[in-house]
Amino acid sequence: MDARRTIEQKRDGHRLSPDAWEAFVRAYAAGDITDYQMSAFLMACFLRGLDREETAALTNAMLHSGGRLDLSHLARPRIDKHSTGGVGDKTSLILAPLISALGVAVPMMSGRGLGHTGGTLDKLEAIPGFRTRLTLAEAAAQIEAIGCALLGQTEEIAPADRKMYALRDATATVESIPLISASIMSKKLAEGLTGLVLDVKRGSGAFLTDLDAELELARTMVSLGADHGCPVVALLTAMDRPLGRACGNALETEEAILALRGEGPEDLMEVTFALGAEMLLLAGVAREPGDARRMMDHAIASGRAAAQFQRIIEAQGGNPAVVDDPALLPQAAVRDVHAAPRAGVIAGVEPRAIGYGITALGGGRTKVSDVVDPTVGFVITARPGARVERGDPLATIFARDAAGIAAGRACLAQAITIADRAEAPLPLVSHRVSGAGVTPYSAA
Ligand code: URA
């Protein structure tokens, strides 16, 4: 095929037919279209947009670019959760073991860091030996045996998303409702799910920072799920500050382990339990949110959730001892405390600046070939609205060397603002979007 004709059509704002989407994506996955042609095409899509039918056609084309997990013989419900991307967002690492410990199969295909946001695969690979490149057969066998597999896109499953995701990260073409929707839903639909829960981030640190656009993104993905008979529930959750305290791959993995042991920070647990309850309700394992919450509390308090994480780590070649001793995770060479430069109230902790700060320390990518350093990042104890005195600790910087500490300090000075008063942060969970429409969120 002549890729230039299709790029030209999108560049000039024309609609593409389902056949054109299918042919273009298939040719790219097969290596017949180059990365530079796909990059130009993605920018045309970003600038010109896609209508609802084109978004569905792109999703289908990406889904058809690879194989699917066939788990239909399992008696258990198959439920996954995916986030549109945030900073400090380690809920997937907690929910996969927690929900699979409660009898639900969780086939979880995740991504790497994208833009300023972190990626579940990068966090998992902080665990020594952990292998995220599973074949379809390995993933299916592991889910059958222990109820969960945590995997990345490969040549075999969601290959188009694997390549397009990496290009979008490097070409500033992430923040697009159709491109995000097709990326997420193509890989989730390849998992053979009976239900999906989405965490759609809102606020200044989300890819889409306007509430109408965030709701539109949620509605689009819910309806793409319905096209394929997969019930989808989306919760809108706050990303106007990082979630939890740890930001950076190994640091977040450690915080997720602490959460599985019952020692997670309150905001992280509130969002995790809200998403987990939706997973258990969709699975039919819990009848109402209160039951779901009790089940999750018990799985954590009894040690079942942490033991399930050990089982998953062991099955994927990692060192399960990190769950008992998180100090076995890779550690930064140097660390230093960042203190408040003045007295006042914490007016903001800007996730975007924190995310780019992690990249500056070596913990994220600016080009496809970059290798991430799992050890670097921040543990931020400053919470919006809290009163601080001059010299109070706000965060700890984890870096490779003194230059990294200086870069981390510069990032935090910009990201954490102290003022005389602060506006109220966004509610942690604000809206619920399902096939029945949009409602204000209530945990009860
Ligand atoms: N997560 C994904 O998997 N894809 C996107 O485009 C954004 C977030």
Side-chain angles (χ1 to χ4, degrees):
M1 83 174 299
D2 186 349
R4 289 173 301 181
R5 295 285 85 78
T6 313
I7 300 169
E8 210 171 79
Q9 277 185 312
K10 224 347 123 195
R11 181 199 67 193
D12 295 343
H14 299 298
R15 286 190 81 246
L16 298 181
S17 69
D19 287 349
W21 285 104
E22 195 76 36
F24 196 83
V25 171
R26 188 173 330 106
Y28 178 59
D32 296 335
I33 286 176
T34 61
D35 281 347
Y36 53 80
Q37 288 173 314
M38 181 52 101
S39 298
F41 181 69
L42 288 167
M43 187 57 85
C45 292
F46 183 93
L47 295 172
R48 290 298 192 168
L50 277 65
D51 67 19
R52 171 66 177 81
E53 272 119 61
E54 288 185 289
T55 306
L58 173 60
T59 307
N60 289 340
M62 290 171 73
L63 171 63
H64 298 152
S65 71
R68 293 190 207 199
L69 270 172
D70 182 5
L71 301 167
S72 52
H73 58 287
L74 290 189
R76 277 173 282 177
R78 306 177 299 277
I79 310 287
D80 190 11
K81 167 262 156 191
H82 196 86
S83 156
T84 57
V87 175
D89 180 10
K90 65 283 291 176
T91 57
S92 288
L93 271 71
I94 309 166
L95 285 166
L98 175 59
I99 302 304
S100 60
L102 291 168
V104 178
V106 181
M108 186 177 276
M109 199 184 334
S110 303
R112 299 198 175 276
L114 188 65
H116 61 284
T117 69
T120 299
L121 296 180
D122 294 327
K123 293 169 206 182
L124 287 167
E125 287 174 1
I127 299 171
F130 198 99
R131 203 163 63 85
T132 57
R133 272 185 77 84
L134 302 184
T135 63
L136 272 178
E138 282 173 327
Q142 186 175 315
I143 293 160
E144 198 159 342
I146 63 170
C148 180
L150 298 164
L151 63 153
Q153 309 96 310
T154 63
E155 295 75 20
E156 209 188 4
I157 182 160
D161 182 57
R162 183 173 75 95
K163 295 171 73 184
M164 289 162 69
Y165 188 96
L167 284 188
R168 286 170 58 221
D169 187 28
T171 58
T173 48
V174 175
E175 296 89 344
S176 146
I177 293 176
L179 295 181
I180 296 175
S181 302
S183 162
I184 293 179
M185 293 308 292
S186 63
K187 58 182 172 275
K188 298 291 113 176
L189 292 167
E191 293 173 346
L193 301 173
T194 56
L196 171 66
V197 175
L198 293 170
D199 180 357
V200 175
K201 297 295 185 191
R202 61 174 293 216
S204 58
F207 285 126
L208 306 171
T209 52
D210 161 77
L211 179 59
D212 287 341
E214 288 145 359
L215 286 170
E216 181 58 24
L217 175 62
R219 277 192 293 258
T220 302
M221 293 192 287
V222 167
S223 78
L224 290 171
D227 289 353
H228 292 261
C230 177
V232 178
V233 173
L235 297 183
L236 262 65
T237 74
M239 191 36 67
D240 55 343
R241 68 273 195 194
L243 185 60
R245 297 187 182 130
C247 301
N249 293 310
L251 296 166
E252 291 188 44
T253 302
E254 173 170 359
E255 192 167 80
I257 289 171
L258 294 178
L260 286 166
R261 297 188 341 192
E263 300 157 42
E266 221 173 285
D267 61 335
L268 173 62
M269 297 322 292
E270 187 175 330
V271 173
T272 302
F273 286 139
L275 295 164
E278 296 292 349
M279 292 174 82
L280 293 171
L281 291 167
L282 265 181
V285 164
R287 297 229 312 230
E288 44 108 1
D291 288 342
R293 178 61 199 264
R294 275 186 289 281
M295 292 168 79
M296 290 186 283
D297 281 340
H298 187 253
I300 289 176
S302 64
R304 263 169 78 195
Q308 173 68 348
F309 197 31
Q310 286 184 311
R311 235 171 266 127
I312 296 166
I313 294 172
E314 192 159 22
Q316 297 192 217
N319 180 4
V322 295
V323 176
D324 290 328
D325 183 5
L328 293 172
L329 289 166
Q331 303 290 320
V334 287
R335 63 179 73 181
D336 205 357
V337 170
H338 177 71
R342 57 161 280 195
V345 176
I346 305 289
V349 180
E350 186 45 59
R352 214 168 266 267
I354 300 291
Y356 286 129
I358 295 169
T359 301
L361 295 183
R365 295 176 189 80
T366 54
K367 54 186 183 312
V368 176
S369 54
D370 284 348
V371 175
V372 300
D373 181 339
T375 67
V376 300
F378 306 100
V379 171
I380 303 169
T381 44
R383 306 315 295 166
R387 164 114 216 132
V388 289
E389 297 306 324
R390 184 164 189 265
D392 279 356
L394 300 178
T396 304
I397 306 162
F398 295 78
R400 293 199 272 228
D401 49 28
I405 296 289
R409 210 177 283 295
C411 156
L412 292 175
Q414 191 205 338
I416 305 178
T417 47
I418 302 177
D420 294 334
R421 68 183 69 81
E423 280 178 24
L426 290 173
L428 278 169
V429 188
S430 60
H431 298 75
R432 183 178 189 275
V433 184
S434 70
V438 181
T439 51
Y441 179 75
S442 143

